[in-house]
Amino acid sequence: MKKSVIKQYQVAITNLGNVKDKVTGKLTLALSVSDRRHRAKVHFIRDSSMERVWSQVENILAAAPQHAWVRIEVVEAVQRQKLTSLKQNLNDMFRMNYWRRGVSFDADFKTALLEMEINGHEFFKPSKQHKVGKNVSESWIDFDQIKKYLQARDDSSAQVIEDTEYVWTFVTRGIFSDGEEIWPLREDESRGIGVRQLINPRQEINSYLHTGEKFLMQQIKDYGQFIYGYYPALQRVLTNYNSVRHFSSIYALLEAIDFTNQNEDVDKAKLALQWGIDNLTFSKGDALFAIEHNKKADDEVKLGAQAMLILALCKYQEVRADDSFLKYAQQAFNGVTAFRQESGRFNHVLNVDLSVKDAFRIIYYEGEITFALARLFELTGDEAVKQLIKETLDFMVANNYGQYHDHWISYAVNEALQIFSTNREYMAMGLKNVFDHLDFIEKRDTSYPTLLELLNAAVKMTDTIKATGNDDLMEGYDLVRLRQVWRLRAEHEMATGTFEPELAMYFYYPEKFVGAFFARHDHFRTRIDDCEHFLSGLINYYNYKY
């Protein structure tokens, strides 16, 4: 690495100020370096002299490739606590991978681990009884794995760390560089510690969306099926599959292609769409149905998959101006009637013979199918489609669907108001759907990408309500707060759900995951539907805000 680049890093670290421990008089610095193909090598350097510390840093960086990802952090706050106390804290932690501090098993930081070393290797493991989102994680410390890692990292024998009485937990301040730019790292534990600060959110979001489109496109195999997902912390590829997520991911990819203007990628999306039609649908008469092939149960037909099939087909025609799939969209609409009850309610899941399997499965389905039909009507102008949209929305109003705070309902209402622009009942339902949920959205610490999708549609809807002279419906709602939460939510997602290089560098094959989006509380899972929701939410946010 060039001396001029190393000098820039030195200036950036110096600008952080004096971070010597007032009691010991020592400075502790952590240097992480990745060649982009391998997990970062982490070095803890501790001395009373900044000059001696930096001399070691220079020696390490001098041998690093010019394009290396470099993260430099200084330890600025240390707290001693009993190991038994740490174990209890981990046991009580509701979500796995939510330990957000570094830990050293000795006072001199010879056995120190950064927060992202811990999470990137999943050194703190959840119990086998843990169900994501259902119960406490009962996380425990995998001492055997930590010792093996420390021995390999420092090329020396690790202490018997499980026998220590105390541990030293710590937080850091620092910088990250990809070899071209230097970013300060965020310090707020609850809002994305250890990732770059958004200096220019418009530019940063735009840049990552281009990378995100590329990542999702690259998950499509040569024959059209997606790689379903990964557990990056466990170095595992997910082998399940899901028809809803296949078609919804195509829809999001087409949205992203439309945003990035990478039109050459449409052929890859078309390949995935055709694979889905060939492998995840079947016909009965003049109707086309999306089918779910289950490994351990009978195949089934989901209303949500039917909706996503229609959405993907419509979006393809919108982006490519190619009506070769339009016949399938019409046939899929013909299949929607098989889900209908006389009351106007939809059955959610059918058997392959179209008998009812589950009258109700998940609240999303009504909103999904209504949104899909609205998009289909805008494409075809079919009055039968319009009538079914109206009947479904009327059913949702009569049954108070605004209480569910569902992003698909928000999408559906916003889209429907382009068709039924004077219907105040739909407006009122859409307003309740978001405003009764603002407290939850504002305080939610996980990335939870569907919340931004909900807010996007809600913000657009309030502008539509204003434009149609129905402002009185919003007199009891705080529109300013809605816009503030909307912006905060988008930036929170960027800080807590994106595999920017400064996080990816602690996982296997780091470069592979840049552009992906993750669920931290599920082994940093990155699945095609995670990418779908993040991409759709951030693209619609960016397009409407900027």
Side-chain angles (χ1 to χ4, degrees):
M1 185 173 289
K2 294 180 180 178
K3 289 184 178 181
S4 59
V5 175
I6 299 173
K7 182 64 177 179
Q8 290 175 2
Y9 298 161
Q10 183 179 13
V11 171
I13 287 297
T14 302
N15 288 340
L16 294 178
N18 184 7
V19 286
K20 281 188 178 181
D21 187 293
K22 299 297 184 183
V23 177
T24 65
K26 290 189 176 181
L27 166 76
T28 306
L29 185 146
L31 171 65
S32 303
V33 183
S34 169
D35 64 1
R36 305 190 180 198
R37 291 182 59 84
H38 301 92
R39 290 182 193 259
K41 171 73 173 177
V42 180
H43 310 263
F44 275 86
I45 306 166
R46 184 175 169 85
D47 202 293
S48 58
S49 164
M50 179 61 171
E51 289 73 21
R52 287 193 292 271
V53 166
W54 195 256
S55 177
Q56 294 184 59
V57 172
E58 286 181 328
N59 290 336
I60 295 167
L61 291 181
Q66 188 62 36
H67 70 284
W69 291 337
V70 176
R71 180 164 158 162
I72 308 173
E73 299 166 81
V74 290
V75 175
E76 69 165 357
V78 181
Q79 180 174 359
R80 191 186 76 169
Q81 68 178 104
K82 287 192 173 183
L83 177 60
T84 54
S85 173
L86 173 62
K87 288 180 176 179
Q88 189 62 51
N89 291 341
L90 294 174
N91 181 78
D92 296 343
M93 209 165 54
F94 186 71
R95 303 186 189 97
M96 72 173 85
N97 301 125
Y98 263 72
W99 178 260
R100 304 310 306 271
R101 298 186 179 188
V103 175
S104 180
F105 296 92
D106 70 286
D108 292 323
F109 281 70
K110 293 177 180 178
T111 56
L113 297 166
L114 290 170
E115 177 253 332
M116 276 312 305
E117 281 184 283
I118 293 169
N119 287 315
H121 290 82
E122 203 157 296
F123 290 143
F124 297 168
K125 289 178 166 56
S127 73
K128 292 181 179 180
Q129 288 72 42
H130 176 55
K131 302 293 183 184
V132 175
K134 301 294 184 182
N135 56 7
V136 296
S137 68
E138 295 182 330
S139 293
W140 53 281
I141 303 171
D142 189 338
F143 287 108
D144 289 340
Q145 188 183 357
I146 292 172
K147 284 189 288 186
K148 289 177 183 177
Y149 172 75
L150 288 174
Q151 288 166 1
R153 186 190 75 177
D154 300 323
D155 195 26
S156 62
S157 297
Q159 299 176 17
V160 185
I161 53 178
E162 65 264 51
D163 290 341
T164 183
E165 182 179 0
Y166 295 100
V167 295
W168 287 258
T169 62
F170 60 92
V171 295
T172 64
R173 281 191 290 157
I175 61 166
F176 168 80
S177 177
D178 59 2
E180 296 181 6
E181 294 185 60
I182 298 174
W183 289 271
L185 298 176
R186 294 171 62 118
E187 301 170 34
D188 184 350
E189 284 188 52
S190 65
R191 297 291 181 181
I193 190 173
V195 297
R196 67 188 63 186
Q197 296 179 23
L198 297 184
I199 306 301
N200 183 342
R202 179 178 183 176
Q203 177 182 322
E204 302 265 357
I205 293 172
N206 182 295
S207 176
Y208 199 83
L209 287 172
H210 280 74
T211 312
E213 184 269 328
K214 181 180 178 181
F215 176 86
L216 186 55
M217 188 270 295
Q218 289 176 336
Q219 303 316 300
I220 301 174
K221 302 174 186 178
D222 291 341
Y223 53 88
Q225 186 183 21
F226 284 95
I227 299 170
Y228 191 52
Y230 308 88
Y231 281 150
L234 301 178
Q235 201 165 333
R236 277 175 48 193
V237 178
L238 304 180
T239 57
N240 291 335
Y241 215 71
N242 179 290
S243 58
V244 177
R245 291 165 182 161
H246 177 84
F247 290 115
S248 61
S249 296
I250 295 170
Y251 172 78
L253 177 59
L254 287 164
E255 273 193 315
I257 291 169
D258 200 25
F259 177 82
T260 62
N261 293 317
Q262 297 295 318
N263 295 321
E264 65 274 13
D265 292 345
V266 177
D267 288 339
K268 203 75 179 284
K270 182 180 182 180
L271 181 69
L273 194 52
Q274 188 62 60
W275 184 89
I277 291 169
D278 293 343
N279 294 275
L280 299 175
T281 69
F282 70 97
S283 297
K284 281 208 171 186
D286 64 349
L288 182 71
F289 296 93
I291 186 170
E292 192 72 72
H293 298 300
N294 295 316
K295 289 183 177 179
K296 298 181 180 179
D298 293 336
D299 291 350
E300 58 187 21
V301 183
K302 295 178 180 176
L303 181 63
Q306 198 76 3
M308 292 303 115
L309 171 61
I310 293 170
L311 271 175
L313 292 166
C314 291
K315 191 66 182 179
Y316 172 78
Q317 182 169 339
E318 178 189 331
V319 172
R320 176 50 73 85
D322 171 5
D323 64 1
S324 59
F325 286 118
L326 185 58
K327 63 179 180 180
Y328 296 119
Q330 182 59 54
Q331 292 167 2
F333 168 67
N334 296 340
V336 173
T337 57
F339 293 88
R340 295 279 283 172
Q341 299 178 12
E342 290 185 8
S343 65
R345 183 184 296 275
F346 282 102
N347 291 311
H348 283 188
V349 185
L350 309 178
N351 295 302
V352 291
D353 63 0
L354 304 187
S355 61
V356 178
K357 181 175 183 179
D358 285 327
F360 178 86
R361 175 70 63 86
I362 193 168
I363 199 64
Y364 293 162
Y365 285 173
E366 276 82 4
E368 287 177 332
I369 196 64
T370 307
F371 178 52
L373 294 178
R375 284 293 176 88
L376 181 61
F377 174 76
E378 290 164 356
L379 196 62
T380 66
D382 187 333
E383 286 297 319
V385 177
K386 182 179 179 180
Q387 181 60 31
L388 185 51
I389 297 168
K390 184 179 185 305
E391 290 174 6
T392 306
L393 284 167
D394 288 346
F395 175 84
M396 291 163 70
V397 168
N399 288 273
N400 191 23
Y401 268 59
Q403 69 182 301
Y404 297 123
H405 316 305
D406 171 25
H407 64 288
W408 288 111
I409 292 173
S410 195
Y411 272 152
V413 171
N414 180 62
E415 203 69 29
L417 290 180
Q418 311 308 309
I419 305 168
F420 309 103
S421 59
T422 60
N423 193 302
R424 287 168 60 87
E425 288 186 325
Y426 302 164
M427 295 176 188
M429 178 174 67
L431 291 168
K432 180 177 181 181
N433 189 54
V434 64
F435 279 99
D436 287 359
H437 206 43
L438 272 188
D439 281 344
F440 175 87
I441 295 172
E442 191 170 23
K443 295 173 183 176
R444 185 69 181 188
D445 59 341
T446 61
S447 49
Y448 211 146
T450 57
L451 295 180
L452 181 60
E453 294 185 272
L454 170 61
L455 292 169
N456 289 333
V459 169
K460 294 178 186 178
M461 180 185 63
T462 58
D463 286 346
T464 298
I465 293 172
K466 290 177 185 177
T468 54
N470 291 285
D471 300 62
D472 60 296
L473 290 173
M474 300 186 292
E475 289 178 0
Y477 298 118
D478 190 341
L479 299 183
V480 173
R481 184 183 176 211
L482 173 66
R483 298 260 177 172
Q484 291 171 335
V485 174
W486 182 47
R487 176 183 60 80
L488 289 171
R489 199 70 225 169
E491 294 179 11
H492 179 72
E493 279 191 18
M494 285 294 296
T496 60
T498 57
F499 263 126
E500 293 278 18
E502 58 267 28
L503 257 65
M505 66 193 296
Y506 295 98
F507 295 86
Y508 83 95
Y509 203 161
E511 200 169 38
K512 175 179 180 175
F513 293 103
V514 175
F517 300 88
F518 61 81
R520 173 183 283 268
H521 58 285
D522 190 8
H523 308 285
F524 282 87
R525 182 198 74 215
T526 178
R527 207 166 54 195
I528 54 174
D529 58 308
D530 295 313
C531 298
E532 160 214 335
H533 287 299
F534 277 98
L535 279 173
S536 285
L538 288 166
I539 285 168
N540 282 284
Y541 169 80
Y542 186 94
N543 282 339
Y544 204 67
K545 183 172 178 60
Y546 298 117

